[in-house]
Amino acid sequence: MAVSGAVPSVKRPQEELVLVTINENDDARGIIQFNVTRTSQGVVEVYEGIEMMRLPLSRARGRYRDVSVSWQAIPDSASAQDFQPHSGEVHFLDGQGEATIDIKIIDDTLPEYHESFSVQLLEAKGGAELGKDRYVVINILKNDSPNGHFGFADMQKSVLESEKAGDPNGVVHFDVVRSQGSQGDVLVSWELDNAAAADLQPLGGNLTFKEGETLKRITLQTLPDNTLEGEEHFTLALVSVTNNADISPTRGKATVVIQANHGASGVIAILPGYRSVIIAEPSTDYDGTANIVIGRGVGRYAVITVTWQLTPRDAEFVEASGTVTLDDLQENATIVIQAVDDLKPEQRQVYTLSLVSVTGGAVISTIGGGNKARVTMAASDYPHGLFQFGEPEKVYVPEDAPQLSVPVMRDQGTVGQVVVQYNTVQATAIADVDFRQVSGTLTFGPGEDRQNILIAIQQDQDPEGDEEFVIKLSSVQLIIPANNNYTKIIAGQSLDMPPAMGLMTNKTIVIERNDNAEGTIEFAAEAINFIVREESDVAYIPVIRRGGTFGRVGVTYTSRSITARPNGIDYYLDDGELIFSDGVAMATINVSLVDDAEREVDESLEIMLMRVSGGAKLGALQVAMVTIPQSDYPYGKIGFSGPTAIIIPNPSAARALTFTMQRNEGLTGRQTVRWRLLGPNSDTPVDSTEDISYRNTIPRGMITFEEEELGFHDIELVVNPYTGPEVEKRFILVAYNVKGRPGSAEISPTAGNVTLTVLKHGHPNGIVKFVGSALQPLNVVEPSRNDVPIHLTLPISRREGTAGTIEVHWRVESLNSDTADIEPYEGVTVIRDGERNGQIVVKVLPDDIGEMEEKFTVLLTGVEGGAELDTRDNRSFFTIKANDDPHGVFSISTEAQSVIVTPDLKRQVHLNFTRHQGAFGLVRVTYNIVYNQAQRGVTYVPRSGSVMFQNGQQEVIDNIDITSDVQLDLESYFSINLTDVTYLGVDETIPPRLQPGKTVALAYVPQQAANSQVGFLHSMVTANEITNEAILTINRWGSYGEVETSWVSGLPRGALPKGLTMGIVSPQADRVIMYNGVSSVNVSVMLLPKSSSAEVFAAQVVAVNARTGGPAQVRQDSSIVKVDPYGVVQFAPQSRDVSITEEDGELKLSVHRAYGSFGRIRVSYQTWESTATSNHDYESIANGVLIMDQGVILATISVNIRADTEPETDEVFYVNITKVEIVPTPSRNDVSPRVSQLSAVAMVTILGSNDAYGVLSFRTPETSVRESNDGTTRTALLQIQRKGGVHGRIQATVRTIGGGEPWQNSTIRNSERTGLTEAMASVHTARATAGDQFDYLPISHTIVFEPGEEVKTVDITILDDPFPEPDEVFFCLHY
């Protein structure tokens, strides 16, 4: 609500605040009470031996501020000497909820029975309250028996389960100890808990302690069984003693631990269904996690912890390693890996999750890859790019710009080759008029993030406003790589992410206005002398906008009366402004006219255009003359009286017709009017008397009306009789050309003419019908495809009259054809005036489509020009005979045949038969089929069969079951041969046939249907230099069925070259299972290379076992894979970063051949300068070569280092291994040998030499200065010079010494290198004294030499004193 008036203000300063306090409530300081555990008797039991008893206190509800509670212990049967202290106070700090009362139980040597005392809470302080539980009774149990206190010496022991009866490893001993008193004989009974009955014996017994005996032993034996068991715990208890002895309350029970059986904790493996998982970055519908379930098999005992890790390790996962714990008896556990949601474009990446260690006695499986899972991280964030235009969305360009360059941006990733399709779309700008229409593609190479679209702007002289067109990005397509997988696999995401178009895929180009775009305004040419009748009510005077029509413009106008009277007498028009909206080229000035009954002569006015606005120009036609012609017939209205249209039959005798012309309305002046007859059937004047005459002459004349004459004048015309058949004729009697004084009368707009129609006689235009050959049915053979069409000519004629040109309409109809075999199927035939005959021509078209017999009817459907159709002979018939194999030509092609695998893993030969030409009727096709690699006695498929083609069917599919478990090799084939074809219907015309050369086809056995030949996909692979991991791809040629493949590391016996040793591969053997349809499996192995050995790392497939689908076998030419067999050439570790002095003269670098050492190789290398200069600091090597023979793993590169006398700092150059190749060079390159990606460059540092940073010294080693003797000071200038090198920025400290400076002793102790001690000892002159009251001011000054600087000066102040003194000496030191 709005309130008017003054704003509120504070009237009483200092009283505008109020303090509000909410008081404590709801027991804010807490309620304190005991929180102890009592026995069933409601007491707390303790033993003397526990030393300290703690009674818990709780502080319920509030815990605000510090509080305390006081307590008191009250003796009962227990005396005050049995415990202490006897009272106290417990403090709770602010926020503290628990505390304890601590009471020490005194352990004495007196035998005592049960004793008790109580503890009571007395008072809560600090605002707290006491709760209900304020009192507790403490029982000190019986102790210090004189007959003994019995307990176990060891509280727990472990033992192995016996492997057989009496196994000594299954024996465990427990000693029972008698403490305190040892009087009398005591019988101690013991027993095991019932759960031990199947695992231990005996289950109980007695021990007899004679007086004075203090130790007895219980011996237990574990029992063997065949049950896999984890660690088991059983309780061994002392259950009773005699002679009033005691059982220790703390040591009366012990635990027997039977250790777990071997394997009882499990063999840890990743479950098969989780050894290949897919994960993607988090999205709206997916949390970015993947589960990998591990199990431990039969053994499920004990708590175990499994450690896992992901490799390669990078930042793509929240955790790259971790642990998972399985509780006792827990069978499975889940490792949850979480992908990081980053914004980094990434391609699909494969990781390996490995189980690396396990605790608790379990082991990790190494069988069948059970310790590893393949983790595939789906691509994310558009690694191939997001393509769009950059800002702004709309670009302005002048028309005279010859060319426009529009950049297309590739955001996100730039991996691969991508083609972007684009095109221009016209809007207000017209393609190929205002701009050059373009469409095309942009190809973005790897790493390329920008391309330009070039568009030509076309200049013209036309005035135009802003015009727009659009450039559209229509599609993107990834070209390389071409094997991406876009199948949706997880929450709508695919393994690979295709390139995509961004938000801005349309760019609007605006060609700015140009060439007088607003236009020139003037009257239209027809407005300069504009005539409008009074009856029009409004005169619309056109004003045009010539040239451009851009924008909103206007023009003002005014008017001037000439003879027409303004202000609503004859017209009405105010001055005003005419507005042209954008794009409008014409408008009108509207003059309102007054339509009155007054007879008036011509009247006129002028309209003038004055000023323009909005950027337009004013043209030359600026004045319009508007004339209102005479109105309301001041000189009369002349016309015909009576009907204006007359129809008469064609007379058989001459017939006279009278037409009357009259004058009415105004009668001023003498008026002359002419008349004439137009026709026949045209608007030209009649020029003969053949049809109609006037006074035996051509029908024309003139009539005169005198001044004030209001009368009638007759015109008599004679219609002549017919002489034979005649067509209908139309004549028009018109009045025209009125002349009069002082003005002319007007022709009546409604009665100024009369139409006379004389009807036809007989059939002058004829009766049309088919004649001659058209009346006989025709049989036509359809032309073949390469022939010309056949022309069927059907004659027509008109009987009786032939007057006039007529048009005969016709149409072709068929009940069993779609008329596609002929053309045209309708038309018009013209018969000229005076002609009797014509023809209809129908073309029978050639084709090679099989067709049955087709019947056609040609109908005469109508005629124009006065003729009529004959009621009988208005139809003609023709038939096209059956043609082009109407029942079909049958074939089979290799391209259409295949061998398939059904969802239930049955194999079938998929046969596809084709019917060409016609498809009429039921046809049977028979065939033979045979397998090209059939083994004798084995049936693969039925040898023959047949298929049925139904009427209209052009293709038949037949799937033939292949016998299960037969062997089909990849690229073998089934041969299908068509043998016969039979028509099974009636009315056969042309029998079906087999297509020559198309009766045999092959159905090749594809990958998914072929039995397996298993081997390695590559004969050579590379190792990861960082992890020493290699990926071996086990491939099978033929992926039908399920196979288990066994592989081992190493080469077959006898295949290892002499001098080489087999490298260790982990695991050394494994089995992999490939399920139906799976063509390859990657196996990750770890290499354990020895840098000192010439090794070969290899693996071989040794066995293939087909689980389902028939036989499988090892592919012998692909059974072996070698890992980097020719080696990875690199610098040895000690040669990768080397320092050397100039004096060393020669540098030797060790080149190491890692992994394999097969074959003879050539290693190329070169030097590369950095801060060291080639051929000055070292001898350059451009094309160095090393040869390493088979088995050689080390070689040396030598580089000469040049010495000089120049002071130099550390200088660096590099030695690069550039290439490695096999000698002699093989015909094709493979992955091995190769140059190391990590260690192919050695960095060599030539250490600084010749005092690169210089040698510092005093320029003058001795300086003499006199005292001033006048009380002033003098200055001794010392110059420190830098000789040798002047590189770098260095600093030194300059100090005086010898005059008692505070740093003198420490400086002397640390000055062995300076010779200070010797110098001071050699001088026997008196010492000058440092200090402001003595001989000189001490200094400790740091000087800095910049690079290139050679001399620095230090000032020392010499003081004057009044004392007579000999020469005095002090020293200056720099260091």
Side-chain angles (χ1 to χ4, degrees):
M1 180 179 67
V3 180
S4 60
V7 299
S9 61
V10 178
K11 296 299 184 182
R12 302 181 66 183
Q14 307 302 323
E15 295 187 12
E16 69 274 21
L17 301 177
V18 62
L19 177 64
V20 179
T21 302
I22 301 175
N23 294 324
E24 281 185 24
N25 56 78
D26 300 319
D27 298 309
R29 306 291 175 97
I31 297 175
I32 299 173
Q33 62 185 3
F34 282 113
N35 186 27
V36 298
T37 300
R38 294 176 171 85
T39 67
S40 58
Q41 287 76 33
V43 300
V44 175
E45 294 182 342
V46 297
Y47 304 97
E48 272 191 2
I50 67 169
E51 294 187 356
M52 186 68 69
M53 174 186 69
R54 286 194 163 92
L55 298 175
L57 299 176
S58 66
R59 180 186 187 184
R61 296 178 69 82
R63 298 180 181 182
Y64 179 59
R65 292 196 174 179
D66 296 351
V67 298
S68 63
V69 61
S70 60
W71 61 272
Q72 180 179 9
I74 304 169
D76 190 356
S77 57
S79 68
Q81 287 74 35
D82 291 315
F83 59 89
Q84 63 178 15
H86 304 111
S87 63
E89 188 167 320
V90 177
H91 294 272
F92 289 81
L93 299 179
D94 183 29
Q96 182 178 348
E98 288 83 26
T100 59
I101 296 174
D102 296 340
I103 299 175
K104 183 176 182 180
I105 305 300
I106 305 300
D107 187 9
D108 55 31
T109 58
L110 300 174
E112 297 167 311
Y113 290 94
H114 295 318
E115 300 174 302
S116 64
F117 67 95
S118 60
V119 179
Q120 182 176 0
L121 301 182
L122 299 178
E123 180 184 7
K125 302 177 181 178
E129 300 288 339
L130 288 179
K132 294 181 180 180
D133 194 356
R134 307 181 184 182
Y135 183 84
V136 63
V137 175
I138 313 299
N139 273 357
I140 303 174
L141 298 176
K142 176 184 175 183
N143 56 79
D144 299 311
S145 170
N147 296 327
H149 193 74
F150 292 87
F152 289 106
D154 299 299
M155 302 300 295
Q156 178 173 304
K157 282 189 174 185
S158 63
V159 63
L160 296 173
E161 183 181 281
S162 297
E163 295 184 3
K164 58 184 179 178
D167 187 348
N169 293 322
V171 175
V172 61
H173 305 286
F174 281 88
D175 291 335
V176 179
V177 178
R178 182 185 197 181
S179 59
Q180 297 182 4
S182 59
Q183 298 178 12
D185 295 345
V186 176
L187 180 66
V188 179
S189 298
W190 60 270
E191 66 180 22
L192 281 164
D193 58 37
N194 293 333
D199 295 284
L200 288 166
Q201 67 177 10
L203 295 177
N206 298 314
L207 300 175
T208 300
F209 284 79
K210 297 295 185 182
E211 183 170 350
E213 287 183 329
T214 59
L215 180 71
K216 291 288 182 178
R217 172 168 289 180
I218 298 173
T219 299
L220 302 175
Q221 173 79 51
T222 59
L223 301 176
D225 58 34
N226 295 320
T227 303
L228 188 65
E229 297 167 310
E231 190 174 81
E232 297 176 287
H233 292 245
F234 302 101
T235 300
L236 175 65
L238 304 180
V239 294
S240 65
V241 292
T242 60
N243 202 12
N244 209 27
D246 292 326
I247 297 173
S248 170
T250 58
R251 305 188 72 84
K253 293 181 179 180
T255 300
V256 184
V257 179
I258 301 177
Q259 297 178 20
N261 298 133
H262 180 71
S265 298
V267 178
I268 309 302
I270 298 171
L271 299 187
Y274 295 89
R275 292 178 188 174
S276 180
V277 298
I278 297 171
I279 191 171
E281 290 188 4
S283 63
T284 304
D285 303 320
Y286 171 58
D287 62 1
T289 63
N291 295 336
I292 297 175
V293 179
I294 62 174
R296 52 176 173 176
V298 178
R300 303 175 187 176
Y301 301 101
V303 176
I304 62 171
T305 298
V306 181
T307 301
W308 57 268
Q309 71 175 17
L310 281 162
T311 56
R313 297 176 69 92
D314 55 27
E316 298 308 312
F317 294 91
V318 173
E319 293 180 336
S321 61
T323 60
V324 61
T325 299
L326 287 84
D327 292 330
D328 186 35
L329 299 180
Q330 181 179 345
E331 180 180 358
N332 299 324
T334 301
I335 299 170
V336 180
I337 53 177
Q338 171 75 58
V340 173
D341 186 12
D342 56 28
L343 299 178
K344 184 169 61 174
E346 294 156 319
Q347 290 181 274
R348 183 205 321 181
Q349 175 71 35
V350 176
Y351 298 82
T352 299
L353 183 141
S354 303
L355 306 181
V356 295
S357 65
V358 62
T359 64
V363 295
I364 294 176
S365 171
T366 59
I367 304 299
N371 61 338
K372 295 182 186 297
R374 176 189 175 97
V375 180
T376 302
M377 173 76 79
S380 62
D381 301 303
Y382 300 100
H384 301 300
L386 197 63
F387 295 84
Q388 60 187 343
F389 293 111
E391 295 287 352
E393 189 174 356
K394 186 175 287 190
V395 173
Y396 291 83
V397 60
E399 186 186 59
D400 55 4
Q403 186 169 259
L404 173 67
S405 177
V406 181
V408 178
M409 315 305 296
R410 183 186 199 178
D411 298 329
Q412 303 290 80
T414 59
V415 175
Q417 185 182 66
V418 178
V419 170
V420 179
Q421 189 86 27
Y422 66 87
N423 64 281
T424 52
V425 179
Q426 70 178 30
T428 54
I430 306 303
D432 294 327
V433 175
D434 298 306
F435 66 96
R436 181 67 56 82
Q437 174 96 341
V438 296
S439 63
T441 58
L442 300 176
T443 300
F444 288 77
E448 198 169 5
D449 61 1
R450 177 187 176 117
Q451 290 268 16
N452 292 322
I453 300 173
L454 299 178
I455 302 172
I457 305 299
Q458 300 193 166
Q459 189 171 2
D460 55 33
Q461 303 303 317
D462 297 333
E464 298 162 313
D466 285 355
E467 297 177 305
E468 296 183 355
F469 67 95
V470 177
I471 311 172
K472 299 174 68 72
L473 302 181
S474 55
S475 67
V476 294
Q477 181 181 2
L478 181 67
I479 304 301
I480 300 175
N483 58 347
N484 276 7
N485 185 345
Y486 300 131
T487 303
K488 302 299 183 184
I489 44 92
I490 184 168
Q493 300 185 58
S494 55
L495 282 177
D496 298 299
M497 178 172 282
M501 293 193 291
L503 296 177
M504 193 179 295
T505 57
N506 292 349
K507 172 80 79 171
T508 300
I509 310 300
V510 180
I511 304 174
E512 297 174 327
R513 60 185 181 182
N514 54 80
D515 301 318
N516 186 25
E518 292 81 3
T520 299
I521 298 176
E522 62 185 3
F523 282 111
E526 62 268 26
I528 302 305
N529 290 293
F530 193 84
I531 298 174
V532 59
R533 299 195 64 84
E534 181 182 87
E535 296 83 1
S536 301
D537 293 333
V538 178
Y540 299 98
I541 314 302
V543 181
I544 61 172
R545 181 184 191 183
R546 227 173 1 88
T549 60
F550 176 74
R552 186 178 187 271
V553 299
V555 60
T556 61
Y557 59 86
T558 187
S559 64
R560 180 176 70 87
S561 171
I562 298 178
T563 56
R565 295 165 294 177
N567 301 322
I569 298 174
D570 290 317
Y571 72 93
Y572 184 87
L573 178 64
D574 286 338
D575 294 349
E577 182 178 16
L578 190 62
I579 299 298
F580 291 79
S581 297
D582 180 48
V584 174
M586 191 189 81
T588 59
I589 298 172
N590 301 333
V591 183
S592 297
L593 304 178
V594 177
D595 184 12
D596 53 27
E598 183 181 350
R599 294 189 175 96
E600 298 168 309
V601 298
D602 291 356
E603 300 169 314
S604 62
L605 67 137
E606 278 186 344
I607 303 174
M608 290 78 72
L609 301 180
M610 307 300 290
R611 290 182 300 277
V612 292
S613 61
K617 298 178 181 179
L618 193 60
L621 303 181
Q622 301 177 19
V623 179
M625 175 69 74
V626 181
T627 298
I628 305 172
Q630 63 185 34
S631 61
D632 298 305
Y633 306 102
Y635 303 107
K637 179 170 68 172
I638 297 174
F640 293 98
S641 63
T644 57
I646 299 171
I647 301 174
I648 65 172
N650 202 323
S652 59
R655 178 178 177 179
L657 297 174
T658 300
F659 299 89
T660 302
M661 187 178 293
Q662 68 176 9
R663 175 189 185 189
N664 53 23
E665 300 292 342
L667 303 175
T668 302
R670 185 173 183 268
Q671 305 293 327
T672 300
V673 57
R674 293 184 179 276
W675 63 269
R676 63 188 176 192
L677 189 66
L678 307 180
N681 298 330
S682 70
D683 292 330
T684 59
V686 173
D687 58 0
S688 73
T689 60
E690 180 181 344
D691 294 306
I692 300 175
S693 63
Y694 172 70
R695 298 177 182 177
N696 296 320
T697 62
I698 294 173
R700 66 183 65 159
M702 182 175 68
I703 295 174
T704 300
F705 291 90
E706 299 297 336
E707 174 86 19
E708 298 296 327
E709 179 185 357
L710 179 64
F712 299 88
H713 294 266
D714 291 335
I715 301 171
E716 185 174 281
L717 300 178
V718 176
V719 179
N720 297 325
Y722 59 81
T723 59
E726 288 184 340
V727 298
E728 182 178 281
K729 296 181 180 180
R730 179 179 56 84
F731 301 90
I732 302 174
L733 180 63
V734 297
Y736 72 102
N737 196 13
V738 180
K739 299 290 185 179
R741 288 179 180 272
S744 299
E746 300 171 63
I747 301 296
S748 171
T750 58
N753 59 73
V754 178
T755 300
L756 172 63
T757 301
V758 181
L759 298 176
K760 73 176 182 177
H761 175 69
H763 296 284
N765 304 111
I767 299 173
V768 180
K769 67 173 186 174
F770 283 109
V771 296
S773 61
L775 297 177
Q776 301 299 320
L778 299 176
N779 290 317
V780 182
V781 177
E782 184 183 81
S784 61
R785 184 174 187 83
N786 296 323
D787 291 340
V788 298
I790 294 175
H791 293 74
L792 295 181
T793 301
L794 306 175
I796 59 175
S797 180
R798 57 176 169 176
R799 59 184 173 86
E800 298 194 18
T802 61
T805 298
I806 63 172
E807 295 180 351
V808 181
H809 294 260
W810 56 269
R811 181 176 70 249
V812 180
E813 294 182 350
S814 175
L815 294 177
N816 59 348
S817 175
D818 60 2
T819 69
D821 294 311
I822 63 167
E823 70 173 19
Y825 56 88
E826 63 181 1
V828 176
T829 297
V830 177
I831 302 177
R832 300 293 177 186
D833 181 36
E835 295 180 355
R836 186 170 297 280
N837 298 319
Q839 61 185 17
I840 296 171
V841 178
V842 177
K843 290 190 291 185
V844 179
L845 302 177
D847 62 32
D848 57 0
I849 299 172
E851 295 158 319
M852 299 294 285
E853 184 176 86
E854 300 169 293
K855 297 181 180 298
F856 297 91
T857 301
V858 184
L859 300 171
L860 301 182
T861 59
V863 62
E864 295 180 10
E868 299 175 13
L869 292 178
D870 189 270
T871 57
R872 261 182 49 187
D873 296 331
N874 57 11
R875 296 169 183 258
S876 181
F877 304 94
F878 69 92
T879 301
I880 301 177
K881 294 183 177 181
N883 57 82
D884 297 315
D885 296 296
H887 300 302
V889 177
F890 297 84
S891 71
I892 188 168
S893 66
T894 296
E895 294 75 17
Q897 316 312 310
S898 60
V899 178
I900 63 173
V901 179
T902 66
D904 58 356
L905 299 187
K906 289 183 179 179
R907 291 183 289 186
Q908 296 177 333
V909 183
H910 177 79
L911 302 180
N912 189 321
F913 302 89
T914 304
R915 182 188 212 177
H916 306 284
Q917 303 296 94
F920 295 99
L922 179 66
V923 177
R924 179 178 62 221
V925 177
T926 58
Y927 62 87
N928 292 336
I929 181 170
V930 62
Y931 180 52
N932 77 310
Q933 293 185 13
Q935 298 178 17
R936 186 182 299 275
V938 177
T939 300
Y940 292 84
V941 292
R943 295 188 59 84
S944 63
S946 64
V947 293
M948 292 290 186
F949 282 82
Q950 302 297 320
N951 182 53
Q953 191 174 7
Q954 294 181 313
E955 181 182 73
V956 169
I957 304 297
D958 194 12
N959 291 325
I960 308 301
D961 288 340
I962 299 172
T963 304
S964 61
D965 294 337
V966 296
Q967 179 169 334
L968 301 182
D969 292 336
L970 183 64
E971 295 304 316
S972 62
Y973 58 83
F974 290 86
S975 177
I976 304 98
N977 181 23
L978 303 185
T979 58
D980 193 17
V981 57
T982 305
Y983 175 61
L984 301 179
V986 295
D987 298 329
E988 178 183 80
T989 53
I990 301 174
R993 61 190 176 89
L994 299 177
Q995 184 175 356
K998 295 288 186 179
T999 60
V1000 178
L1002 306 179
Y1004 286 93
V1005 178
Q1007 171 76 7
Q1008 64 269 23
N1011 291 85
S1012 299
Q1013 291 186 7
V1014 184
F1016 290 104
L1017 181 62
H1018 307 287
S1019 61
M1020 295 184 194
V1021 296
T1022 61
N1024 185 309
E1025 295 180 60
I1026 298 175
T1027 63
N1028 286 337
E1029 182 184 32
I1031 303 298
L1032 313 181
T1033 301
I1034 297 178
N1035 191 70
R1036 58 171 173 168
W1037 288 262
S1039 60
Y1040 178 67
E1042 180 179 318
V1043 299
E1044 181 181 70
T1045 302
S1046 298
W1047 65 270
V1048 298
S1049 63
L1051 293 172
R1053 180 175 299 177
L1056 181 66
K1058 186 177 181 180
L1060 304 184
T1061 60
M1062 286 306 310
I1064 299 174
V1065 176
S1066 178
Q1068 294 183 346
D1070 204 349
R1071 293 193 303 271
V1072 297
I1073 296 174
M1074 285 184 276
Y1075 298 98
N1076 180 69
V1078 176
S1079 295
S1080 62
V1081 173
N1082 286 343
V1083 175
S1084 175
V1085 298
M1086 193 72 67
L1087 310 185
L1088 304 174
K1090 300 175 183 176
S1091 58
S1092 59
S1093 298
E1095 298 177 300
V1096 175
F1097 293 91
Q1100 54 180 313
V1101 174
V1102 293
V1104 178
N1105 176 33
R1107 293 185 169 189
T1108 62
Q1113 58 190 13
V1114 177
R1115 183 169 175 138
Q1116 295 303 322
D1117 60 353
S1118 302
S1119 63
I1120 297 173
V1121 61
K1122 302 184 186 75
V1123 183
D1124 281 310
Y1126 294 94
V1128 177
V1129 179
Q1130 60 185 3
F1131 284 105
Q1134 68 274 17
S1135 294
R1136 295 170 188 169
D1137 188 351
V1138 180
S1139 296
I1140 192 171
T1141 66
E1142 284 186 351
E1143 291 76 13
D1144 290 334
E1146 185 179 29
L1147 168 70
K1148 292 186 179 295
L1149 300 174
S1150 294
V1151 176
H1152 180 238
R1153 187 181 187 183
Y1155 305 124
S1157 52
F1158 259 107
R1160 194 167 190 250
I1161 62 171
R1162 179 191 299 114
V1163 180
S1164 300
Y1165 62 91
Q1166 66 181 45
T1167 57
W1168 193 268
E1169 71 176 26
S1170 179
T1171 54
T1173 304
S1174 62
N1175 295 323
H1176 176 75
D1177 297 306
Y1178 66 93
E1179 290 185 7
S1180 174
I1181 300 174
N1183 297 296
V1185 172
L1186 285 176
I1187 299 296
M1188 301 179 75
D1189 290 321
Q1190 179 166 293
V1192 174
I1193 61 173
L1194 285 176
T1196 301
I1197 294 175
S1198 296
V1199 182
N1200 289 328
I1201 306 299
R1202 293 185 174 178
D1204 55 34
T1205 59
E1206 298 176 16
E1208 296 170 311
T1209 57
D1210 290 355
E1211 296 174 310
V1212 173
F1213 71 95
Y1214 298 94
V1215 181
N1216 293 6
I1217 299 174
T1218 57
K1219 187 169 73 170
V1220 59
E1221 54 192 339
I1222 300 172
V1223 179
T1225 304
S1227 59
R1228 68 178 185 89
N1229 293 327
D1230 212 323
V1231 295
S1232 182
R1234 61 188 175 98
V1235 177
S1236 170
Q1237 295 179 337
L1238 302 177
S1239 306
V1241 178
M1243 185 176 76
V1244 181
T1245 302
I1246 304 175
L1247 299 175
S1249 60
N1250 304 317
D1251 298 315
Y1253 298 100
V1255 177
L1256 299 183
S1257 64
F1258 288 107
R1259 177 165 286 184
T1260 304
E1262 185 174 329
T1263 300
S1264 297
V1265 181
R1266 292 182 178 276
E1267 288 186 3
S1268 64
N1269 294 324
D1270 58 5
T1272 62
T1273 61
R1274 286 192 170 184
T1275 300
L1277 300 178
L1278 302 180
Q1279 287 186 321
I1280 295 92
Q1281 62 186 1
R1282 183 185 192 185
K1283 293 182 178 180
V1286 291
H1287 295 283
R1289 185 176 188 269
I1290 64 171
Q1291 66 181 34
T1293 300
V1294 179
R1295 284 180 171 177
T1296 57
I1297 198 75
E1301 286 85 352
W1303 52 76
Q1304 180 168 317
N1305 292 335
S1306 63
T1307 302
I1308 291 174
R1309 283 196 303 271
N1310 298 321
S1311 61
E1312 290 82 358
R1313 291 173 54 191
T1314 64
L1316 175 62
T1317 303
E1318 294 79 0
M1320 293 178 68
S1322 65
V1323 176
H1324 304 289
T1325 311
R1327 297 283 180 84
T1329 305
D1332 57 6
Q1333 301 296 321
F1334 300 100
D1335 297 308
Y1336 64 93
L1337 295 180
I1339 66 167
S1340 179
H1341 182 63
T1342 298
I1343 57 175
V1344 176
F1345 285 84
E1346 298 296 337
E1349 195 171 8
E1350 297 180 345
V1351 177
K1352 282 288 186 181
T1353 300
V1354 176
D1355 299 340
I1356 300 177
T1357 301
I1358 307 300
L1359 303 175
D1360 183 31
D1361 60 33
F1363 306 110
E1365 297 163 313
D1367 288 348
E1368 297 174 305
V1369 174
F1370 67 94
F1371 297 87
C1372 286
L1373 174 72
H1374 68 77
Y1375 60 93

